[in-house]
């Protein structure tokens, strides 16, 4: 294994073990829960809860959430391009137009499939 990859391996091991070690440590230092009965019920401003918190969501909600994430990633790619626009020139403009065109084709396809309709 090349010596340049050893710091990356150490970082990966630390990043993977941090959540497990943290959960294990806090399992032993937290106080025991003594609550039972009504103390475990959800509290809604003194009003008894109307139903279960385990309601079902439509699949369309998740589709719109994924599209929101895609728009955020698109924005993340647009910021560095906008900052370096003058240095990139026509090639940078063409590259970003291709990128936006691919996204636009995807959104048109989703719209035609009816994935964005709430009815």
């Amino acid at each position: 294994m090349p010596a340049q990859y050893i710091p990356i391996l150490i970082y990966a091991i630390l990043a993977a073990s941090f959540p497990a070690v943290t959960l294990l440590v806090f399992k032993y230092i937290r106080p025991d829960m003594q609550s039972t009965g009504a103390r475990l019920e959800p509290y809604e401003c003194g009003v008894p809860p109307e139903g279960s918190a385990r309601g079902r969501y439509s699949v369309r909600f998740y589709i719109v959430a994924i599209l929101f994430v895609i728009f955020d990633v698109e924005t993340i790619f647009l910021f560095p391009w906008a900052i370096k626009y003058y240095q990139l020139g026509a090639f940078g403009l063409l590259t970003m137009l291709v990128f936006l065109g691919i996204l636009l084709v995807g959104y048109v396809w989703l719209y035609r499939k009816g994935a964005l309709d709430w009815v």
Side-chain angles (χ1 to χ4, degrees):
M1 174 185 245
Q4 296 93 357
Y5 290 111
I6 292 174
I8 296 172
L9 179 65
I10 292 171
Y11 180 75
I13 290 170
L14 287 173
S17 64
F18 183 75
V21 170
T22 304
L23 287 173
L24 188 66
V25 167
F26 283 111
K27 178 182 178 185
Y28 291 115
I29 67 172
R30 72 177 182 218
D32 291 335
M33 190 168 97
Q34 303 292 335
S35 299
T36 58
R39 294 187 90 182
L40 296 176
E41 291 292 321
Y43 181 72
E44 293 183 6
C45 301
V47 179
E50 295 181 7
S52 172
R54 301 284 182 200
R56 293 183 177 224
Y57 291 103
S58 172
V59 174
R60 297 195 188 280
F61 171 79
Y62 296 106
I63 291 174
V64 171
I66 292 294
L67 291 175
F68 176 76
V69 170
I70 291 172
F71 268 124
D72 280 353
V73 171
E74 173 188 353
T75 305
I76 290 170
F77 282 125
L78 282 174
F79 275 121
W81 172 80
I83 290 171
K84 296 289 184 181
Y85 175 71
Y86 287 113
Q87 293 175 354
L88 296 173
F91 177 73
L93 179 64
L94 181 64
T95 305
M96 192 50 65
L97 288 176
V98 169
F99 174 70
L100 293 174
I102 291 170
L103 285 174
L104 184 65
V105 167
Y107 285 121
V108 168
W109 179 76
L110 283 172
Y111 180 75
R112 288 190 179 176
K113 291 279 285 186
L116 301 177
D117 294 335
W118 281 100
V119 180

